[in-house]
């Protein structure tokens, strides 16, 4: 009888366990349904936390006392603190004193974005709906903190500088951090350098060394069949069983679902797709589409390291209004530039409303085992300019091919930016050597020079 009771207890426990486990199986949604609904119900909460990691300045410019320097890293989380200051300023925008000003403050911390970023992305993330902000500011190219006046900030929108003053603004913490910056060990700059008969109007970095050689590899290796199939399976999801795969002679791999959805990975590691299967809804909300773009990237291969939003433009996609978001990234705290011969970008996403319709990704990861850990000498920026300056000297009639000198003397006064970066030819699959380069922007032209030899690499 005792054994019978034990058997009954065991049987009862087994029945309870079976009921519990089966209920979980029946009630659990398939993965693809769970993924789609969670994004809607949670309001993209996980994605939203990533926004300030990609909407961020490419560099910080500091002008304090007798010091001027530029940093490409953010060790003290100054951008996070600046976001809070900007949020407070926008939240109380209607009560603030808004004025146009022709000049920056004399001592400042400037957050410099790669291009004009629509202010709607900022206010959307801040949950601030204020028509006055979008009408008066429209874009943000620079955010300037006055190191002597904690009650105001400046915003340059690409055309005008707007000063915002009010009781809700307090930049004391940012100013204190900036004033404690290690200027002695930071990049030094020279002011008003005269070249030929013209003067450079912006400070010139006096960097004389850089890490080189730097080797990188594409994050995607098309020869890794299993990994490529896994990526395609993650993209097509439940439609993967109906996908047709083809491999070209040059190694490019294409996955196609009917004729409406295509994923392609090239031998050099460029991934791109387009999707014509969704029913698109027009939307003028640049933030809504941006969240969709970031959310898709986070769920599909993830956001690259040190990535930042570099450009936003309106597009027309089959008669539907949308946006194209272009992202770049840094290597060793330096901007990376891609050759425009192949028209590559690190990350380019087209979105219409909440739908991503096109996606291009070309990311290189540094190969530390093959790259140098030491600094090598580079040609000073002033010497590079002089070497490439065409003084319109008369032809002496010799038979030698004249050396290419792309800079004209009248361009000197129009130089608006000089910085050191890394250049990727983006033409070779597998391992690729990056060129350390001087980037010189003058007027509407950009010149990329090899920082070691001083020779022109590309002109945009």
């Amino acid at each position: 009888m005792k054994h019978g009771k034990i058997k009954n207890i065991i049987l009862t426990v087994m029945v309870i366990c079976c009921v519990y486990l089966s209920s979980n199986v029946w009630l659990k949604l398939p993965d693809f349904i769970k993924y789609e609904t969670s994004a809607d119900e949670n309001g993209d909460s996980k994605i939203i936390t990533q926004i300030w990691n990609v909407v961020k300045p490419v560099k910080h410019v500091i002008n304090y006392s007798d010091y001027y320097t530029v940093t490409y890293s953010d060790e003290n989380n100054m951008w996070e603190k600046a976001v809070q200051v900007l949020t407070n300023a926008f939240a109380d925008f209607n009560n603030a004193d808004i004025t146009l000003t022709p000049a920056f403050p004399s001592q400042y911390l400037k957050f410099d974005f790669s291009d004009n970023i629509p202010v709607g992305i900022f206010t959307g993330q801040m949950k601030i709906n204020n028509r006055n902000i979008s009408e008066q500011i429209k874009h943000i190219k620079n955010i300037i903190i006055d190191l002597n006046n904690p009650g105001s900030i400046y915003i340059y929108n690409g055309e005008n500088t707007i000063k915002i003053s009010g009781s809700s603004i307090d930049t004391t913490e940012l100013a204190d951090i900036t004033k404690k910056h290690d200027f002695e060990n930071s990049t030094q700059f020279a002011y008003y350098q005269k070249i030929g008969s013209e003067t450079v109007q912006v400070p010139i970095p006096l960097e004389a060394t850089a890490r080189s050689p730097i080797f990188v590899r594409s994050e995607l290796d098309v020869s890794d069949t299993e990994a490529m199939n896994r990526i395609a399976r993650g993209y097509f999801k439940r439609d993967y069983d109906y996908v047709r795969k083809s491999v070209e002679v040059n190694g490019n791999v294409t996955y196609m679902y009917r004729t409406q959805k295509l994923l392609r990975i090239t031998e050099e590691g460029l991934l791109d797709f387009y999707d014509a299967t969704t029913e698109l809804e027009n939307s003028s909300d640049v933030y809504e589409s941006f969240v969709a773009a970031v959310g898709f990237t986070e769920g599909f291969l993830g956001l690259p390291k040190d990535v930042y939003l570099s450009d936003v433009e309106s597009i027309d996609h089959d008669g539907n209004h949308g946006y194209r978001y272009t992202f770049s990234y840094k290597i060793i705290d330096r901007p990376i530039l891609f050759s425009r011969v192949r028209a590559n970008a690190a990350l380019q996403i087209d979105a219409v409303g909440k739908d991503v319709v096109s996606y291009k990704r070309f990311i290189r990861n540094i190969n530390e085992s093959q790259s140098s850990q030491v600094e090598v000498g580079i040609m000073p920026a002033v010497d590079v300019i002089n070497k490439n300056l065409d003084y319109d000297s008369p032809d002496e009639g010799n038979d030698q091919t004249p050396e290419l000198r792309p800079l004209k003397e009248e361009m000197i006064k129009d130089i608006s930016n000089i910085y050191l970066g890394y250049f990727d030819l983006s033409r070779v699959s597998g391992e690729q050597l990056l060129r350390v380069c001087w980037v010189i922007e003058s007027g509407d032209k950009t010149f990329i020079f090899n920082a070691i030899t001083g020779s022109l690499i590309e002109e945009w």
Side-chain angles (χ1 to χ4, degrees), residues 118-333:
V119 73
I121 291 180
F122 292 84
T123 55
Q125 174 65 5
M126 296 168 181
K127 306 301 181 188
I128 295 173
N129 184 14
N130 189 326
R131 190 172 179 178
N132 289 333
I133 297 175
S134 58
E135 288 180 348
Q136 296 193 50
I137 296 179
K138 296 183 181 178
H139 296 90
I140 295 180
K141 178 65 174 67
N142 304 132
I143 298 173
I144 305 99
I145 305 298
D146 188 339
L147 298 180
N148 293 325
N149 181 7
S152 65
I153 62 171
Y154 297 72
I155 294 176
Y156 178 63
N157 63 10
E159 296 180 355
N160 301 302
T161 301
I162 297 103
K163 181 180 180 180
I164 308 174
S165 302
S167 59
S168 62
I169 300 172
D170 185 2
T171 61
T172 303
E173 185 179 7
L174 272 172
D176 289 344
I177 294 173
T178 304
K179 293 173 183 178
K180 294 176 183 176
H181 183 79
D182 184 7
F183 293 100
E184 296 299 331
N185 293 312
S186 298
T187 303
Q188 303 299 307
F189 285 74
Y191 290 86
Y192 304 114
Q193 291 290 292
K194 197 171 185 63
I195 300 177
S197 61
E198 298 290 348
T199 301
V200 181
Q201 300 299 311
V202 295
I204 299 179
L206 298 178
E207 291 163 287
T209 63
R211 275 183 61 181
S212 182
I214 298 296
F215 287 92
V216 291
R217 294 187 69 85
S218 299
E219 67 170 355
L220 303 179
D221 182 358
V222 74
S223 65
D224 188 342
T225 303
E226 184 177 340
M228 297 305 101
N229 290 342
R230 188 163 56 247
I231 289 171
R233 191 177 294 110
Y235 172 56
F236 289 100
K237 295 184 175 62
R238 59 186 180 275
D239 296 325
Y240 181 73
D241 291 338
Y242 307 99
V243 168
R244 179 167 57 87
K245 176 183 176 181
S246 62
V247 181
E248 301 173 14
V249 176
N250 60 8
N252 297 346
V253 181
T254 301
Y255 300 84
M256 180 177 290
Y257 174 68
R258 298 177 179 172
T259 57
Q260 299 175 301
K261 199 170 183 178
L262 180 143
L263 172 69
R264 184 169 180 264
I265 306 170
T266 67
E267 62 167 346
E268 62 262 34
L270 169 66
L271 178 148
D272 71 274
F273 71 70
Y274 72 83
D275 185 356
T277 62
T278 56
E279 295 183 4
L280 303 177
E281 295 183 6
N282 277 309
S283 173
S284 60
D285 191 333
V286 67
Y287 174 71
E288 177 185 65
S289 295
F290 183 67
V291 169
V294 173
F296 181 88
T297 303
E298 184 66 19
F300 181 66
L301 298 179
L303 289 166
K305 182 182 178 182
D306 287 333
V307 70
Y308 58 90
L309 180 64
S310 58
D311 187 45
V312 180
E313 55 185 313
S314 297
I315 60 169
D316 181 89
H317 179 82
D318 295 335
N320 297 289
H321 179 264
Y323 295 95
R324 172 168 295 160
Y325 304 97
T326 302
F327 300 81
S328 190
Y329 64 102
K330 302 173 191 174
I331 280 186
I332 322 175
D333 287 331

Side-chain angles (χ1 to χ4, degrees), residues 213-219 268 329-332 336-338 362-372 422-435:
I214 298 296
F215 287 92
V216 291
R217 294 187 69 85
S218 299
E219 67 170 355
E268 62 262 34
Y329 64 102
K330 302 173 191 174
I331 280 186
I332 322 175
I336 188 166
L337 299 99
F338 286 109
F362 186 67
I363 303 297
R364 307 277 213 175
N365 295 322
I366 188 170
N367 186 344
E368 293 286 1
S369 64
Q370 298 293 323
S371 300
S372 172
Y422 286 98
F423 185 81
D424 189 340
L425 288 172
S426 58
R427 303 171 189 167
V428 183
S429 59
E431 197 164 62
Q432 171 73 58
L433 172 66
L434 297 183
R435 274 70 170 172

